[in-house]
């Protein structure tokens, strides 16, 4: 499912799904979270021996969303706990989805 594809993990937290994607052959992996959470993502991807891009992405920040680019696969884990953020999350998926990605 992810081999040879560009992957983004939204709200990555510790980054496990994205890191595993890198380990099993993703072409590229970008891990995102709030700016104050990025250090843990860098440390975990380094400890796992994989090369992942780590970028800030705050749901309501259109500059953060635009800076991500587009991806073949969007990974989301434990994102829907904040009902107030759901509209922004859908808008983000519309912004970053590649030409073959639908939701």
């Amino acid at each position: 499912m992810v081999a040879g594809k560009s992957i983004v993990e939204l709200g990555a937290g510790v980054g496990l799904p994205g890191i595993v994607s890198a380990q099993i052959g993703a072409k590229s992996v970008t891990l995102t979270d709030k700016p104050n959470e990025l250090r843990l993502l860098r440390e975990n991807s380094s400890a796992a021996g994989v090369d992942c891009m780590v970028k800030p992405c705050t749901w309501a920040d259109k500059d953060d969303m635009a800076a991500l680019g587009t991806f073949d696969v969007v990974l989301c884990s434990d994102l829907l706990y904040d009902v107030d953020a759901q509209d922004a999350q859908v808008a983000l998926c519309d912004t970053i989805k590649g030409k073959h990605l639908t939701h």
Side-chain angles (χ1 to χ4, degrees), residues 1-9 17-18 20-29 71-76 100-102:
M1 180 177 149
V2 300
K5 296 184 178 175
S6 61
I7 311 297
V8 63
E9 183 181 356
V20 170
S21 294
Q23 291 174 329
I24 62 173
K27 176 175 68 176
S28 66
V29 175
F71 300 89
D72 298 317
V73 177
V74 177
L75 300 175
C76 305
H100 302 292
L101 180 70
T102 59

Side-chain angles (χ1 to χ4, degrees), residues 30-97:
T30 300
L31 306 173
T32 72
D33 213 319
K34 297 174 187 173
N36 60 329
E37 303 294 333
L38 301 181
R39 188 177 124 226
L40 180 61
L41 290 171
R42 288 186 189 99
E43 290 173 356
N44 286 349
S45 60
S46 177
V50 295
D51 184 24
C52 295
M53 292 286 290
V54 176
K55 294 185 177 183
C57 187
T58 304
W59 306 126
D61 188 323
K62 292 185 183 204
D63 291 334
D64 278 359
M65 293 190 313
L68 287 178
T70 59
F71 300 89
D72 298 317
V73 177
V74 177
L75 300 175
C76 305
S77 175
D78 196 27
L79 290 184
L80 300 178
Y81 63 89
D82 185 355
V83 175
D84 295 332
Q86 289 177 0
D87 288 341
Q89 292 165 350
V90 169
L92 174 59
C93 286
D94 284 340
T95 300
I96 64 174
K97 68 182 180 183

